[in-house]
Amino acid sequence: MFKRAETKDISGCAVVGIMNEKGKTIRGDVITSAIAVMHERSNGLGGGFAAYGIYPEFKDYYAFHIMFEDEGVKDSVETFLQDSMVVVKSEAIPIRKKMSLANTPILWRYFLEVPKSKIPAGFSEEDFIVSVVMRINTRFNGAFIFSSGKNMGIFKGLGYPEDVSRFFRLEEYEAYLWTAHGRFPTNTPGWWGGAHPFGLLDWAVVHNGEISSYGINKRYLEMFGYECTLMTDTEVIVYMLDLLLRKHNLPQDIALTALAPPFWKEIDEMDKNKKEAMTALRMVYGSALLNGPFSIIISSTSSMIGMTDRIMLRPLVVARKQDTVYMSSEESAIREVCQDPDEVWSPQGGEPVYARLEERA
Amino acid sequence: MRMMPPEFMVKISDSCIKCKRCINECSFGALRFENDRVVADHDKCAACHRCTAFCPAHAITVEKFPAIFKDNYLWSQDVLKSLWKQSESGAKILTGAGNDKPYPVFWDKMLLDACQVTNPSIDPLREPMELRTYLGKKPDKLEFWQDKKGDIKLTTVMEPQIKLETPIIFAGMSYGAVSLNVQLILAGAARELGTIMNTGEGGLPQELSEYKDHIVVQCASGRFGINLSYLNSCAAIEIKIGQGAKPGIGGHLPGEKVTEEISRTRRIPSGTDAISPAPHHDIYSIEDLRQLIYALKEATRYKKPVGVKIAAVHNVAAIASGVVRAGADMITIDGFRGGTGAAPQVIRDHVGIPIELALARVDEQLRREGIRHMASIIASGGIRQSADVLKAIALGADAVAIGTAALVSMGCHLCQKCHTGLCAWGIATQKPELIKRLNVEEGIKRLVNMIKAWNLEIKEILGALGVNSIESLRGSRERLRGVDMDEVYLDVLGIKPAGR
């Protein structure tokens, strides 16, 4: 069950995302119907969901979703968590007991508070959380944190996405932002942690594609202390966003542009300021360029962003109906849950499309 | 006492039309006209193939002299010949061009990847394929300022960079080692291709001044021709510490080669020996190197990147790290197969390590220390073809420098007689009658063609790899696999074996 991939993970996929920009919640069965339409894009070896706004009563605590191989490793991880943070609540993640999915691990969630005294000097609270996640995921054999943000959670496993949704009883959750992923791996590690979305803090990424520049993206991240252990593109994308947005503090537009920057011939035609900025961006962040086919949906507490590679080698369709934004690999999935959208379009290659949570007064 | 049979045998067939062109062309004096026919002095033949290329009747063939010795793996003919030469002369044996011994060529033990099904390959004829490369120090991150309208301005101050339209540059070859025409061809081609050439340590001939934006000037241990205007007439400056063909030793251009023109360019009296000491006598340690780097930056008001060239030696990764920390904006690693105008054979053939291994270690070391962005890595020494360029970039090079390959495009036949100054192709010579054999216009055209062909091949492979920009291959060792290598070498190169 916890045998991780030793070679590069290769897979094709379906992705879908739904967000209400006013923060109105949507039930989990909606996104499940959408992703189920694209059944043919998955092969039953991985499905998953990310949901935002699902733990309002614990919204100030980090919600860790962890999978364990056995009670032994669960005990040692819990000891470690108690040493480094305050465990406010600990419970099994509710599942539909009558269903059985292959290789089901122990699925547990923890709501955690970080006392200031536990944070080492020079670390922000988020740095600290990232270091705890990295430590557990790399040092505790048989444990894997698959979700670590506040008021959000990731649910994933081995199976078609609609089965994974039923297994986790997602129809009982209400979220203002959902993303979903159906996986078609061509090599089969058969590991729950290898399913998507992949998350870190409140970032979650669902991704369809294979990044041909994986090797250098990974080596670049390693320079900044990230350990890419899952051999998946999604992991690399999440860490890259974490590096660019959180550690390097780049404006969101710029960070996304670094992943799919304009071509030199376009840059050469830009006005002085923009040309200077883009030239420097490509010089400095060349190793962050995600080259090769991808469409991704990046979600966080405040936004949902859809983007494809710069020559759009994988599909992405976006639609809007009033305050709700839909993004999907195929338009059919959107039409399934929103028959009459106000607009439907395909973004340009490399052009990010945003849905943003309105500030609540 | 004569001990050695000649190395080559020149055969002149009956189809000779007695035009004597070959006699004129042979700069080594191996051919003469006697008794109404062309006669060869086999001993003098260098196998440069000037005569065979120019014989209108194709009447000349050069063969290996068929001297069969008793088989002996240990005491090869090469070894015997060297011993006899030394017994005659009492001198160390000099040679030219690069190491020709059968050491493993790791380029030929690495294979590139390609896309199939799960990710698409890209057609370079239909999609943009980018080779642009910037050399120089990069910040580890950028800062931007966003105004109220949302317009973005870069606030990080960038260090000076050299913009290249191909990741291939020309290696340092000095005026003196090569002819002025060679440097004019390199400079002309560099300008046309959007890349750079390197003057080597022989100063900057006046004729090159119009190409200054495409020239790297060298500051080597002899400090030839260096003054403020030299340092400012360039795109970048390179401090030459060592050279792959002769790590740890200096150079010696004998007085007879120091012509009027060379004396002007090197700023030394004509007819005197031009001696490059083995070390820089003001650099006996890494902190001394830092002083020179910053002295050069001061002299150029921090407007020129300053690079450092070192030979690939055993401890190259640690040395490179020191060089980068000393402030170098670029570091050139020159492997043990790099060419030379003249070097003692024992050094050329037995000192240094292969560029493939050195490059892999340097890139890895700089990454481990988190300082990879602080300097660009240029790999050189035995880069023969576009495939080598791609493999070097995948191992982690920002760019590669080529010397021998560029000379081959101009006519070099690798006869390894550069040190004699008799180059029949007008390349490694200062004799006016030989230099004029190398036509500058034609040379530029040929060299530009060769690099354009390499660029096309590089784009073809990038497309097959499914990436449309060279930086997505740079350092991506995941796209390389090794064959016929043991685990230790795979580990040093940081690549997986084929099949895994």
Side-chain angles (χ1 to χ4, degrees):
Chain A
M1 176 179 67
F2 273 78
K3 196 166 182 316
R4 296 185 182 193
E6 279 166 9
T7 53
K8 174 79 196 310
D9 181 76
I10 295 171
S11 57
C13 303
V15 295
V16 68
I18 305 176
M19 179 179 194
N20 185 288
E21 292 187 313
K22 291 248 195 291
K24 276 189 232 153
T25 56
I26 304 157
R27 267 177 36 164
D29 39 348
V30 175
I31 187 125
T32 307
S33 323
I35 191 86
V37 173
M38 299 188 285
H39 185 87
E40 291 296 317
R41 297 183 75 94
S42 322
N43 67 357
L45 289 171
F49 299 80
Y52 290 79
I54 53 172
Y55 299 132
E57 64 275 35
F58 293 105
K59 65 181 167 50
D60 297 326
Y61 306 116
Y62 289 95
F64 278 21
H65 288 190
I66 312 188
M67 48 180 80
F68 300 105
E69 192 170 34
D70 55 48
E71 290 292 340
V73 64
K74 181 165 173 280
D75 284 348
S76 41
V77 168
E78 284 180 351
T79 309
F80 177 71
L81 284 177
Q82 276 155 4
D83 284 349
S84 35
M85 284 179 277
V86 174
V87 180
V88 177
K89 187 179 169 73
S90 152
E91 64 181 4
I93 299 176
I95 53 171
R96 193 161 259 122
K97 295 228 164 58
K98 282 183 197 157
M99 266 184 91
S100 74
L101 294 181
N103 300 338
T104 306
I106 300 167
L107 295 157
W108 215 262
R109 67 187 169 203
Y110 302 84
F111 294 94
L112 302 153
E113 189 178 8
V114 187
K116 290 259 178 306
S117 60
K118 298 279 188 186
I119 302 173
F123 269 53
S124 69
E125 188 176 295
E126 291 183 326
D127 288 340
F128 175 69
I129 293 289
V130 171
S131 73
V132 169
V133 173
M134 291 272 173
R135 193 178 163 90
I136 292 175
N137 286 354
T138 56
R139 305 284 182 267
F140 288 81
N141 199 10
F144 181 67
I145 301 181
F146 56 102
S147 178
S148 54
K150 284 179 178 174
N151 198 15
M152 62 81 70
I154 290 170
F155 304 88
K156 62 184 180 181
L158 280 186
Y160 282 99
E162 57 272 27
D163 299 334
V164 171
S165 168
R166 272 173 49 73
F167 178 79
F168 281 107
R169 296 156 52 178
L170 293 188
E171 68 280 6
E172 296 170 14
Y173 292 84
E174 299 227 338
Y176 61 87
L177 163 54
W178 285 96
T179 64
H181 187 264
R183 192 156 171 255
F184 196 134
T186 50
N187 50 358
T188 55
W191 181 54
W192 279 54
H196 306 182
F198 188 81
L200 185 69
L201 298 170
D202 75 329
W203 291 101
V205 170
V206 288
H207 157 254
N208 166 25
E210 183 183 342
I211 296 170
S212 308
S213 56
Y214 175 83
I216 185 55
N217 301 141
K218 174 171 176 278
R219 290 187 82 211
Y220 179 62
L221 287 167
E222 283 166 355
M223 259 180 71
F224 297 94
Y226 294 89
E227 293 180 47
C228 303
T229 55
L230 298 183
M231 311 294 277
T232 68
D233 292 339
T234 320
E235 175 190 47
V236 156
I237 298 171
V238 171
Y239 292 163
M240 199 66 86
L241 287 168
D242 186 63
L243 173 73
L244 302 183
L245 290 168
R246 195 173 60 81
K247 284 201 177 161
H248 287 186
N249 214 10
L250 294 182
Q252 206 172 59
D253 277 359
I254 292 281
L256 293 169
T257 305
L259 305 185
F263 286 97
W264 285 117
K265 64 174 189 208
E266 294 163 336
I267 294 174
D268 291 344
E269 302 298 314
M270 290 173 180
D271 63 53
K272 187 174 164 289
N273 279 353
K274 194 145 188 231
K275 183 175 173 177
E276 204 176 272
M278 287 300 125
T279 303
L281 190 73
R282 290 204 57 182
M283 271 187 216
V284 175
Y285 291 106
S287 305
L289 193 170
L290 303 176
N291 214 321
F294 70 83
S295 50
I296 49 176
I297 302 174
I298 303 161
S299 51
S300 69
T301 304
S302 59
S303 66
M304 174 169 80
I305 307 160
M307 191 168 79
T308 68
D309 62 271
R310 53 191 195 148
I311 54 175
M312 206 175 180
L313 295 168
R314 286 287 155 91
L316 187 71
V317 181
V318 183
R320 172 182 282 279
K321 172 84 177 175
Q322 292 166 338
D323 302 324
T324 308
V325 178
Y326 301 85
M327 298 178 183
S328 172
S329 299
E330 293 180 20
E331 193 177 330
S332 60
I334 298 174
R335 297 276 176 184
E336 176 70 16
V337 295
C338 173
Q339 276 149 20
D340 185 24
D342 300 336
E343 49 180 336
V344 182
W345 76 99
S346 242
Q348 296 281 305
E351 176 206 5
V353 181
Y354 298 89
R356 288 195 171 97
L357 187 66
E358 282 179 23
E359 303 278 333
R360 270 175 259 190
Chain B
M1 189 168 52
R2 201 189 146 80
M3 300 273 180
M4 288 181 278
E7 195 172 0
F8 302 104
M9 187 166 67
V10 187
K11 283 188 180 168
I12 292 140
S13 78
D14 293 343
S15 48
C16 172
I17 55 169
K18 298 175 186 173
C19 69
K20 303 181 202 169
R21 173 100 196 236
C22 55
I23 296 170
N24 233 355
E25 293 295 335
C26 182
S27 54
F28 297 98
L31 298 168
R32 63 184 191 279
F33 202 72
E34 215 174 80
N35 299 330
D36 199 35
R37 62 191 183 93
V38 177
V39 180
D41 179 349
H42 303 311
D43 274 313
K44 288 185 177 157
C45 177
C48 76
H49 288 280
R50 183 81 187 177
C51 59
T52 53
F54 279 79
C55 175
H58 301 297
I60 311 176
T61 49
V62 177
E63 294 176 5
K64 268 199 164 167
F65 198 89
I68 307 295
F69 287 45
K70 169 81 177 156
D71 284 344
N72 196 317
Y73 182 76
L74 182 66
W75 298 93
S76 66
Q77 284 191 43
D78 279 350
V79 171
L80 300 185
K81 281 179 188 169
S82 292
L83 296 179
W84 285 323
K85 267 190 213 165
Q86 289 171 328
S87 304
E88 271 166 34
S89 67
K92 63 189 177 195
I93 296 170
L94 265 191
T95 186
N99 189 332
D100 60 4
K101 295 289 175 283
Y103 293 102
V105 180
F106 290 93
W107 300 130
D108 298 339
K109 293 170 182 281
M110 288 187 277
L111 292 167
L112 288 153
D113 193 17
C115 294
Q116 295 289 292
V117 187
T118 56
N119 52 353
S121 42
I122 302 171
D123 184 347
L125 296 175
R126 297 163 61 107
E127 303 282 351
M129 207 45 82
E130 301 182 314
L131 302 185
R132 190 182 292 179
T133 298
Y134 284 88
L135 299 182
K137 194 188 298 296
K138 315 286 190 297
D140 65 335
K141 61 176 186 177
L142 290 176
E143 283 173 18
F144 294 89
W145 181 77
Q146 203 159 9
D147 67 15
K148 283 189 184 126
K149 285 188 296 173
D151 287 344
I152 276 180
K153 196 176 179 319
L154 179 73
T155 52
T156 308
V157 178
M158 296 293 288
E159 301 266 345
Q161 306 283 329
I162 310 172
K163 176 173 149 187
L164 305 176
E165 296 298 348
T166 172
I168 304 160
I169 65 174
F170 300 129
M173 290 180 279
S174 72
Y175 180 35
V178 295
S179 65
L180 178 64
N181 285 7
V182 169
Q183 287 205 335
L184 286 169
I185 291 170
L186 292 168
R191 183 165 70 184
E192 202 171 323
L193 291 162
T195 185
I196 47 173
M197 62 87 76
N198 184 314
T199 58
E201 61 173 314
L204 181 70
Q206 226 173 4
E207 291 83 344
L208 260 64
S209 55
E210 63 170 298
Y211 300 98
K212 68 184 174 64
D213 295 337
H214 297 276
I215 287 177
V216 176
V217 296
Q218 222 177 43
C219 171
S221 62
R223 301 289 156 88
F224 299 117
I226 298 178
N227 61 13
L228 207 52
S229 98
Y230 173 78
L231 294 175
N232 283 290
S233 307
C234 63
I237 302 165
E238 178 176 81
I239 299 170
K240 179 197 171 186
I241 298 293
Q243 181 179 343
K246 42 180 175 178
I249 67 165
H252 180 177
L253 192 67
E256 57 263 32
K257 286 195 187 170
V258 181
T259 60
E260 272 302 316
E261 294 77 19
I262 287 183
S263 109
R264 250 202 315 279
T265 313
R266 295 206 176 205
R267 296 174 205 273
I268 52 170
S270 64
T272 59
D273 291 1
I275 293 180
S276 298
H280 287 242
H281 283 304
D282 54 358
I283 303 179
Y284 281 9
S285 67
I286 192 80
E287 60 271 23
D288 293 343
L289 175 66
R290 184 175 177 84
Q291 292 204 5
L292 181 59
I293 290 173
Y294 279 90
L296 293 174
K297 286 185 181 237
E298 287 286 337
T300 51
R301 295 164 186 264
Y302 294 84
K303 284 184 180 154
K304 313 273 182 197
V306 175
V308 172
K309 175 177 176 175
I310 57 171
V313 291
H314 299 183
N315 211 11
V316 66
I319 297 164
S321 159
V323 167
V324 173
R325 288 178 189 282
D329 300 310
M330 303 172 291
I331 178 160
T332 300
I333 316 287
D334 197 19
F336 84 139
R337 287 180 182 279
T340 176
Q345 192 175 354
V346 64
I347 299 259
R348 188 197 75 170
D349 291 353
H350 299 279
V351 178
I353 64 170
I355 183 59
E356 302 91 322
L357 306 177
L359 165 63
R361 291 298 303 129
V362 169
D363 176 69
E364 183 60 26
Q365 179 82 23
L366 298 184
R367 282 176 187 279
R368 244 182 235 172
E369 295 182 24
I371 56 173
R372 179 64 183 85
H373 59 278
M374 284 168 60
S376 298
I377 300 177
I378 298 158
S380 65
I383 307 277
R384 304 158 296 176
Q385 51 200 350
S386 61
D388 299 350
V389 178
L390 283 153
K391 291 169 188 178
I393 286 172
L395 283 178
D398 286 283
V400 303
I402 57 164
T404 304
L407 299 184
V408 168
S409 99
M410 298 175 205
C412 170
H413 281 57
L414 262 313
C415 72
Q416 306 188 19
K417 291 285 185 285
C418 324
H419 58 295
T420 63
L422 295 174
C423 178
W425 295 89
I427 294 167
T429 180
Q430 300 306 324
K431 291 181 183 294
E433 70 276 17
L434 296 178
I435 296 170
K436 72 177 184 201
R437 292 178 175 188
L438 183 59
N439 181 289
V440 173
E441 292 310 311
E442 197 193 335
I444 292 174
K445 202 172 150 193
R446 292 182 62 85
L447 184 52
V448 167
N449 275 346
M450 187 183 88
I451 300 299
K452 279 189 174 166
W454 288 23
N455 286 347
L456 288 174
E457 291 176 346
I458 290 170
K459 290 176 179 183
E460 201 73 52
I461 293 218
L462 288 180
L465 287 162
V467 298
N468 50 20
S469 185
I470 192 83
E471 62 255 43
S472 293
L473 178 64
R474 189 166 287 129
S476 197
R477 299 186 188 174
E478 183 61 29
R479 309 312 293 278
L480 287 173
R481 290 293 186 272
V483 287
D484 197 18
M485 256 191 264
D486 66 30
E487 249 176 87
V488 178
Y489 283 124
L490 291 168
D491 180 52
V492 171
L493 289 165
I495 62 172
K496 293 176 190 159
R500 212 178 265 168

